[in-house]
Amino acid sequence: MSKILLIAGDFVEDYEIMVPFQALLAMGHEVHAVCPEKREGDSIKTAIHDFEGDQTYTEKPGHHFTLNATFSEADPADYDALVVPGGRAPEYLRLNERVLELVRHFMECDKPVAVICHGAQLLAAAVSLEGLRVSAYPACAPEVTLAGGDFADIEVDQAITCGKLVSAPAWPAHPEWLRQFNELLS
């Protein structure tokens, strides 16, 4: 099975870290969840985003998620794949050069990468998306396009695979997003 790095931060979307972390472990993969400036055993706060008919998602406090690896010790060469959950975390994580270096490694080495929701912000900040069809939360479409990508405007419960990249607009896509990502890991 694969060894997967999951990069997150405070106010990551609750379902977008909890569900993939637990599902990938249940499938038999090894998953290391890390956050800049935090160590194994530290926790991050999550936020629950919901779609309740407003012009954008609503946000509520989520759970505390305990990290199981230390960011400063993460060597991307030790991992087979990368997961980037959404929420507000990618907005500020993309300002961390070490995070961008990690993302670049996975993209440049053509390793499987799964991003969901605002996770595409990290891709757009780290690499050119030219030649890639990428889905994300619709508010991230301009960033995908400005990074050279072809924004995939798909239903909220769908995902798209383009090469070794699997992307989806939000957590309702988990079944499809995780299925497609697991196919790349097999």
Side-chain angles (χ1 to χ4, degrees):
M1 301 310 286
S2 296
K3 186 174 179 182
I4 302 167
L5 183 65
L6 187 153
I7 301 175
D10 283 321
F11 301 104
V12 62
E13 207 291 325
D14 190 272
Y15 297 152
E16 291 174 5
I17 191 169
M18 298 283 190
V19 173
F21 180 79
Q22 293 171 342
L24 291 165
L25 288 174
M27 292 175 198
H29 301 291
E30 183 178 354
V31 183
H32 288 175
V34 299
C35 173
E37 301 177 16
K38 299 214 179 208
R39 303 190 54 74
E40 178 180 355
D42 290 348
S43 67
I44 55 176
K45 292 180 180 180
T46 71
I48 297 172
H49 293 162
D50 208 351
F51 310 100
E52 300 174 312
D54 300 302
Q55 291 179 328
T56 189
Y57 57 84
T58 59
E59 184 171 83
K60 298 160 186 71
H63 299 90
H64 286 251
F65 178 87
T66 301
L67 302 166
N68 67 345
T70 300
F71 179 81
S72 63
E73 297 171 1
D75 180 351
D78 293 340
Y79 294 93
D80 303 308
L82 174 68
V83 172
V84 180
R88 290 196 353 248
E91 175 184 298
Y92 67 86
L93 289 176
R94 65 187 168 167
L95 303 176
N96 183 305
E97 187 55 40
R98 176 69 176 136
V99 169
L100 298 179
E101 288 171 12
L102 292 170
V103 172
R104 282 186 202 110
H105 168 86
F106 289 95
M107 294 296 289
E108 291 169 0
C109 292
D110 202 30
K111 295 180 180 183
V113 174
V115 298
I116 192 164
C117 194
H118 287 73
Q121 290 179 312
L122 283 185
L123 293 183
V127 297
S128 167
L129 299 177
E130 188 171 334
L132 293 174
R133 192 153 157 74
V134 181
S135 182
Y137 187 69
C140 298
E143 290 164 282
V144 169
T145 303
L146 286 169
D150 176 17
F151 179 71
D153 186 13
I154 58 178
E155 294 296 319
V156 72
D157 62 350
Q158 294 301 301
I160 185 168
T161 298
C162 184
K164 296 281 181 84
L165 175 64
V166 180
S167 58
W171 57 260
H174 276 148
E176 190 58 26
W177 181 65
L178 286 165
R179 184 191 64 73
Q180 290 181 32
F181 185 53
N182 195 49
E183 284 180 7
L184 289 179
L185 298 174
S186 299

PDB file of all heavy atoms in Angstrom, residues 114-140:
ATOM      1  N   ALA A 114      -3.991  14.389  -4.659  1.00  0.00           N
ATOM      2  CA  ALA A 114      -5.436  14.597  -4.533  1.00  0.00           C
ATOM      3  C   ALA A 114      -5.674  15.921  -3.824  1.00  0.00           C
ATOM      4  O   ALA A 114      -5.157  16.140  -2.727  1.00  0.00           O
ATOM      5  CB  ALA A 114      -6.079  13.457  -3.754  1.00  0.00           C
ATOM      6  N   VAL A 115      -6.411  16.815  -4.477  1.00  0.00           N
ATOM      7  CA  VAL A 115      -6.780  18.095  -3.870  1.00  0.00           C
ATOM      8  C   VAL A 115      -8.294  18.229  -3.929  1.00  0.00           C
ATOM      9  O   VAL A 115      -8.941  17.734  -4.851  1.00  0.00           O
ATOM     10  CB  VAL A 115      -6.104  19.304  -4.557  1.00  0.00           C
ATOM     11  CG1 VAL A 115      -4.600  19.230  -4.441  1.00  0.00           C
ATOM     12  CG2 VAL A 115      -6.520  19.432  -5.999  1.00  0.00           C
ATOM     13  N   ILE A 116      -8.828  18.904  -2.937  1.00  0.00           N
ATOM     14  CA  ILE A 116     -10.268  19.120  -2.895  1.00  0.00           C
ATOM     15  C   ILE A 116     -10.543  20.542  -2.422  1.00  0.00           C
ATOM     16  O   ILE A 116      -9.766  21.101  -1.649  1.00  0.00           O
ATOM     17  CB  ILE A 116     -10.947  18.057  -1.990  1.00  0.00           C
ATOM     18  CG1 ILE A 116     -12.467  18.056  -2.161  1.00  0.00           C
ATOM     19  CG2 ILE A 116     -10.520  18.209  -0.541  1.00  0.00           C
ATOM     20  CD1 ILE A 116     -13.149  16.813  -1.605  1.00  0.00           C
ATOM     21  N   CYS A 117     -11.590  21.119  -2.964  1.00  0.00           N
ATOM     22  CA  CYS A 117     -12.064  22.426  -2.528  1.00  0.00           C
ATOM     23  C   CYS A 117     -10.983  23.489  -2.722  1.00  0.00           C
ATOM     24  O   CYS A 117     -10.481  23.669  -3.819  1.00  0.00           O
ATOM     25  CB  CYS A 117     -12.525  22.325  -1.078  1.00  0.00           C
ATOM     26  SG  CYS A 117     -13.506  23.704  -0.482  1.00  0.00           S
ATOM     27  N   HIS A 118     -10.591  24.178  -1.649  1.00  0.00           N
ATOM     28  CA  HIS A 118      -9.574  25.227  -1.723  1.00  0.00           C
ATOM     29  C   HIS A 118      -8.152  24.676  -1.793  1.00  0.00           C
ATOM     30  O   HIS A 118      -7.199  25.442  -1.885  1.00  0.00           O
ATOM     31  CB  HIS A 118      -9.713  26.174  -0.528  1.00  0.00           C
ATOM     32  CG  HIS A 118     -10.903  27.076  -0.600  1.00  0.00           C
ATOM     33  ND1 HIS A 118     -12.183  26.613  -0.404  1.00  0.00           N
ATOM     34  CD2 HIS A 118     -11.020  28.397  -0.848  1.00  0.00           C
ATOM     35  CE1 HIS A 118     -13.042  27.606  -0.527  1.00  0.00           C
ATOM     36  NE2 HIS A 118     -12.358  28.714  -0.797  1.00  0.00           N
ATOM     37  N   GLY A 119      -7.989  23.370  -1.770  1.00  0.00           N
ATOM     38  CA  GLY A 119      -6.664  22.765  -1.904  1.00  0.00           C
ATOM     39  C   GLY A 119      -5.979  23.159  -3.198  1.00  0.00           C
ATOM     40  O   GLY A 119      -4.749  23.206  -3.271  1.00  0.00           O
ATOM     41  N   ALA A 120      -6.755  23.473  -4.211  1.00  0.00           N
ATOM     42  CA  ALA A 120      -6.186  23.902  -5.497  1.00  0.00           C
ATOM     43  C   ALA A 120      -5.383  25.196  -5.355  1.00  0.00           C
ATOM     44  O   ALA A 120      -4.516  25.475  -6.180  1.00  0.00           O
ATOM     45  CB  ALA A 120      -7.298  24.081  -6.531  1.00  0.00           C
ATOM     46  N   GLN A 121      -5.644  25.969  -4.303  1.00  0.00           N
ATOM     47  CA  GLN A 121      -4.863  27.191  -4.080  1.00  0.00           C
ATOM     48  C   GLN A 121      -3.387  26.860  -3.880  1.00  0.00           C
ATOM     49  O   GLN A 121      -2.517  27.621  -4.308  1.00  0.00           O
ATOM     50  CB  GLN A 121      -5.387  27.958  -2.870  1.00  0.00           C
ATOM     51  CG  GLN A 121      -6.735  28.597  -3.104  1.00  0.00           C
ATOM     52  CD  GLN A 121      -7.231  29.318  -1.877  1.00  0.00           C
ATOM     53  OE1 GLN A 121      -7.212  28.780  -0.771  1.00  0.00           O
ATOM     54  NE2 GLN A 121      -7.681  30.551  -2.066  1.00  0.00           N
ATOM     55  N   LEU A 122      -3.095  25.737  -3.229  1.00  0.00           N
ATOM     56  CA  LEU A 122      -1.695  25.343  -3.049  1.00  0.00           C
ATOM     57  C   LEU A 122      -1.059  24.970  -4.371  1.00  0.00           C
ATOM     58  O   LEU A 122       0.089  25.330  -4.639  1.00  0.00           O
ATOM     59  CB  LEU A 122      -1.565  24.174  -2.070  1.00  0.00           C
ATOM     60  CG  LEU A 122      -1.707  24.494  -0.598  1.00  0.00           C
ATOM     61  CD1 LEU A 122      -1.443  23.254   0.239  1.00  0.00           C
ATOM     62  CD2 LEU A 122      -0.800  25.615  -0.173  1.00  0.00           C
ATOM     63  N   LEU A 123      -1.795  24.237  -5.201  1.00  0.00           N
ATOM     64  CA  LEU A 123      -1.259  23.886  -6.519  1.00  0.00           C
ATOM     65  C   LEU A 123      -0.968  25.135  -7.334  1.00  0.00           C
ATOM     66  O   LEU A 123       0.106  25.271  -7.921  1.00  0.00           O
ATOM     67  CB  LEU A 123      -2.252  23.012  -7.287  1.00  0.00           C
ATOM     68  CG  LEU A 123      -2.536  21.617  -6.790  1.00  0.00           C
ATOM     69  CD1 LEU A 123      -3.479  20.916  -7.754  1.00  0.00           C
ATOM     70  CD2 LEU A 123      -1.276  20.828  -6.599  1.00  0.00           C
ATOM     71  N   ALA A 124      -1.931  26.039  -7.374  1.00  0.00           N
ATOM     72  CA  ALA A 124      -1.792  27.250  -8.187  1.00  0.00           C
ATOM     73  C   ALA A 124      -0.632  28.121  -7.722  1.00  0.00           C
ATOM     74  O   ALA A 124      -0.010  28.805  -8.530  1.00  0.00           O
ATOM     75  CB  ALA A 124      -3.098  28.043  -8.163  1.00  0.00           C
ATOM     76  N   ALA A 125      -0.331  28.090  -6.439  1.00  0.00           N
ATOM     77  CA  ALA A 125       0.777  28.888  -5.912  1.00  0.00           C
ATOM     78  C   ALA A 125       2.121  28.203  -6.124  1.00  0.00           C
ATOM     79  O   ALA A 125       3.151  28.868  -6.178  1.00  0.00           O
ATOM     80  CB  ALA A 125       0.567  29.156  -4.424  1.00  0.00           C
ATOM     81  N   ALA A 126       2.110  26.884  -6.263  1.00  0.00           N
ATOM     82  CA  ALA A 126       3.360  26.120  -6.315  1.00  0.00           C
ATOM     83  C   ALA A 126       3.852  25.821  -7.722  1.00  0.00           C
ATOM     84  O   ALA A 126       5.059  25.805  -7.963  1.00  0.00           O
ATOM     85  CB  ALA A 126       3.192  24.802  -5.551  1.00  0.00           C
ATOM     86  N   VAL A 127       2.935  25.558  -8.640  1.00  0.00           N
ATOM     87  CA  VAL A 127       3.334  25.087  -9.971  1.00  0.00           C
ATOM     88  C   VAL A 127       2.418  25.659 -11.046  1.00  0.00           C
ATOM     89  O   VAL A 127       1.316  26.111 -10.761  1.00  0.00           O
ATOM     90  CB  VAL A 127       3.294  23.538 -10.068  1.00  0.00           C
ATOM     91  CG1 VAL A 127       4.276  22.895  -9.109  1.00  0.00           C
ATOM     92  CG2 VAL A 127       1.894  22.998  -9.845  1.00  0.00           C
ATOM     93  N   SER A 128       2.870  25.567 -12.272  1.00  0.00           N
ATOM     94  CA  SER A 128       2.012  25.881 -13.402  1.00  0.00           C
ATOM     95  C   SER A 128       1.016  24.739 -13.564  1.00  0.00           C
ATOM     96  O   SER A 128       1.377  23.567 -13.458  1.00  0.00           O
ATOM     97  CB  SER A 128       2.840  26.010 -14.682  1.00  0.00           C
ATOM     98  OG  SER A 128       1.994  26.028 -15.815  1.00  0.00           O
ATOM     99  N   LEU A 129      -0.214  25.073 -13.816  1.00  0.00           N
ATOM    100  CA  LEU A 129      -1.248  24.056 -14.039  1.00  0.00           C
ATOM    101  C   LEU A 129      -1.546  23.885 -15.523  1.00  0.00           C
ATOM    102  O   LEU A 129      -2.538  23.256 -15.895  1.00  0.00           O
ATOM    103  CB  LEU A 129      -2.522  24.426 -13.265  1.00  0.00           C
ATOM    104  CG  LEU A 129      -2.357  24.514 -11.742  1.00  0.00           C
ATOM    105  CD1 LEU A 129      -3.657  24.959 -11.084  1.00  0.00           C
ATOM    106  CD2 LEU A 129      -1.885  23.185 -11.174  1.00  0.00           C
ATOM    107  N   GLU A 130      -0.668  24.414 -16.356  1.00  0.00           N
ATOM    108  CA  GLU A 130      -0.853  24.325 -17.803  1.00  0.00           C
ATOM    109  C   GLU A 130      -0.988  22.867 -18.228  1.00  0.00           C
ATOM    110  O   GLU A 130      -0.215  22.004 -17.815  1.00  0.00           O
ATOM    111  CB  GLU A 130       0.321  24.962 -18.536  1.00  0.00           C
ATOM    112  CG  GLU A 130       0.079  25.074 -20.027  1.00  0.00           C
ATOM    113  CD  GLU A 130       1.146  25.897 -20.732  1.00  0.00           C
ATOM    114  OE1 GLU A 130       1.768  26.753 -20.082  1.00  0.00           O
ATOM    115  OE2 GLU A 130       1.327  25.663 -21.931  1.00  0.00           O
ATOM    116  N   GLY A 131      -2.003  22.599 -19.028  1.00  0.00           N
ATOM    117  CA  GLY A 131      -2.242  21.253 -19.521  1.00  0.00           C
ATOM    118  C   GLY A 131      -3.043  20.382 -18.565  1.00  0.00           C
ATOM    119  O   GLY A 131      -3.310  19.223 -18.868  1.00  0.00           O
ATOM    120  N   LEU A 132      -3.435  20.935 -17.408  1.00  0.00           N
ATOM    121  CA  LEU A 132      -4.192  20.156 -16.420  1.00  0.00           C
ATOM    122  C   LEU A 132      -5.620  20.661 -16.309  1.00  0.00           C
ATOM    123  O   LEU A 132      -5.872  21.863 -16.290  1.00  0.00           O
ATOM    124  CB  LEU A 132      -3.524  20.226 -15.048  1.00  0.00           C
ATOM    125  CG  LEU A 132      -2.164  19.562 -14.919  1.00  0.00           C
ATOM    126  CD1 LEU A 132      -1.561  19.831 -13.552  1.00  0.00           C
ATOM    127  CD2 LEU A 132      -2.298  18.059 -15.158  1.00  0.00           C
ATOM    128  N   ARG A 133      -6.527  19.712 -16.226  1.00  0.00           N
ATOM    129  CA  ARG A 133      -7.928  20.020 -15.950  1.00  0.00           C
ATOM    130  C   ARG A 133      -8.099  19.827 -14.450  1.00  0.00           C
ATOM    131  O   ARG A 133      -7.855  18.742 -13.921  1.00  0.00           O
ATOM    132  CB  ARG A 133      -8.820  19.080 -16.760  1.00  0.00           C
ATOM    133  CG  ARG A 133     -10.252  19.470 -16.783  1.00  0.00           C
ATOM    134  CD  ARG A 133     -10.915  18.951 -18.058  1.00  0.00           C
ATOM    135  NE  ARG A 133     -12.344  18.811 -17.905  1.00  0.00           N
ATOM    136  CZ  ARG A 133     -13.194  19.829 -17.870  1.00  0.00           C
ATOM    137  NH1 ARG A 133     -12.741  21.052 -17.978  1.00  0.00           N
ATOM    138  NH2 ARG A 133     -14.486  19.624 -17.714  1.00  0.00           N
ATOM    139  N   VAL A 134      -8.496  20.893 -13.750  1.00  0.00           N
ATOM    140  CA  VAL A 134      -8.511  20.905 -12.292  1.00  0.00           C
ATOM    141  C   VAL A 134      -9.862  21.403 -11.785  1.00  0.00           C
ATOM    142  O   VAL A 134     -10.329  22.462 -12.198  1.00  0.00           O
ATOM    143  CB  VAL A 134      -7.398  21.827 -11.731  1.00  0.00           C
ATOM    144  CG1 VAL A 134      -7.388  21.817 -10.212  1.00  0.00           C
ATOM    145  CG2 VAL A 134      -6.031  21.439 -12.286  1.00  0.00           C
ATOM    146  N   SER A 135     -10.440  20.671 -10.852  1.00  0.00           N
ATOM    147  CA  SER A 135     -11.647  21.131 -10.188  1.00  0.00           C
ATOM    148  C   SER A 135     -11.263  21.713  -8.828  1.00  0.00           C
ATOM    149  O   SER A 135     -10.200  21.415  -8.284  1.00  0.00           O
ATOM    150  CB  SER A 135     -12.643  19.978  -9.996  1.00  0.00           C
ATOM    151  OG  SER A 135     -13.818  20.470  -9.379  1.00  0.00           O
ATOM    152  N   ALA A 136     -12.143  22.531  -8.294  1.00  0.00           N
ATOM    153  CA  ALA A 136     -11.951  23.167  -6.996  1.00  0.00           C
ATOM    154  C   ALA A 136     -13.281  23.801  -6.603  1.00  0.00           C
ATOM    155  O   ALA A 136     -14.228  23.820  -7.401  1.00  0.00           O
ATOM    156  CB  ALA A 136     -10.866  24.241  -7.083  1.00  0.00           C
ATOM    157  N   TYR A 137     -13.327  24.338  -5.396  1.00  0.00           N
ATOM    158  CA  TYR A 137     -14.484  25.138  -5.036  1.00  0.00           C
ATOM    159  C   TYR A 137     -14.570  26.269  -6.066  1.00  0.00           C
ATOM    160  O   TYR A 137     -13.542  26.850  -6.435  1.00  0.00           O
ATOM    161  CB  TYR A 137     -14.329  25.683  -3.610  1.00  0.00           C
ATOM    162  CG  TYR A 137     -15.570  26.368  -3.129  1.00  0.00           C
ATOM    163  CD1 TYR A 137     -16.721  25.637  -2.861  1.00  0.00           C
ATOM    164  CD2 TYR A 137     -15.610  27.746  -2.979  1.00  0.00           C
ATOM    165  CE1 TYR A 137     -17.888  26.265  -2.449  1.00  0.00           C
ATOM    166  CE2 TYR A 137     -16.761  28.387  -2.569  1.00  0.00           C
ATOM    167  CZ  TYR A 137     -17.899  27.640  -2.301  1.00  0.00           C
ATOM    168  OH  TYR A 137     -19.051  28.265  -1.905  1.00  0.00           O
ATOM    169  N   PRO A 138     -15.762  26.582  -6.590  1.00  0.00           N
ATOM    170  CA  PRO A 138     -15.875  27.557  -7.681  1.00  0.00           C
ATOM    171  C   PRO A 138     -15.174  28.890  -7.427  1.00  0.00           C
ATOM    172  O   PRO A 138     -14.674  29.513  -8.368  1.00  0.00           O
ATOM    173  CB  PRO A 138     -17.385  27.738  -7.834  1.00  0.00           C
ATOM    174  CG  PRO A 138     -17.954  26.428  -7.381  1.00  0.00           C
ATOM    175  CD  PRO A 138     -17.054  25.979  -6.252  1.00  0.00           C
ATOM    176  N   ALA A 139     -15.078  29.334  -6.189  1.00  0.00           N
ATOM    177  CA  ALA A 139     -14.408  30.598  -5.892  1.00  0.00           C
ATOM    178  C   ALA A 139     -12.912  30.539  -6.194  1.00  0.00           C
ATOM    179  O   ALA A 139     -12.256  31.581  -6.293  1.00  0.00           O
ATOM    180  CB  ALA A 139     -14.627  30.981  -4.429  1.00  0.00           C
ATOM    181  N   CYS A 140     -12.364  29.340  -6.378  1.00  0.00           N
ATOM    182  CA  CYS A 140     -10.940  29.177  -6.699  1.00  0.00           C
ATOM    183  C   CYS A 140     -10.698  29.070  -8.198  1.00  0.00           C
ATOM    184  O   CYS A 140      -9.548  28.945  -8.625  1.00  0.00           O
ATOM    185  CB  CYS A 140     -10.384  27.936  -5.996  1.00  0.00           C
ATOM    186  SG  CYS A 140     -10.478  28.029  -4.207  1.00  0.00           S
TER     187      CYS A 140
END
